[in-house]
Amino acid sequence: RCREHARRCAEIARHSASPEVRDHFISLEESWLRLAAELESGEKLLDLIGEISRDLVPIAEAAE
């Protein structure tokens, strides 16, 4: 959804006659893209933590 919002902001910026409005929506687009990248990184990190946790369960059970 973040990338969809970014695309919409870019579209509004392209069609804006006002430089101030255009700059504002370009800034919003950049913010949405940063948020998208941060969320994607967070999801990858959570996936990695989940994989590590699953790998550690048999080790912990064997140690008991």
Side-chain angles (χ1 to χ4, degrees):
R1 299 243 345 133
C2 294
R3 293 192 188 282
E4 291 173 30
H5 291 305
R7 279 191 289 277
R8 181 69 177 129
C9 288
E11 182 180 329
I12 292 169
R14 275 193 305 277
H15 291 85
S16 176
S18 164
E20 293 84 12
V21 172
R22 183 173 47 251
D23 290 346
H24 176 72
F25 278 95
I26 288 171
S27 177
L28 285 173
E29 175 194 14
E30 292 167 351
S31 294
W32 279 114
L33 291 172
R34 275 193 308 275
L35 180 58
E38 290 173 11
L39 286 171
E40 290 164 0
S41 293
E43 289 171 353
K44 288 178 185 177
L45 181 58
L46 287 173
D47 289 344
L48 180 60
I49 290 169
E51 288 176 28
I52 291 170
S53 295
R54 283 188 296 277
D55 290 345
L56 290 177
V57 168
I59 294 170
E61 290 172 351
E64 291 178 353

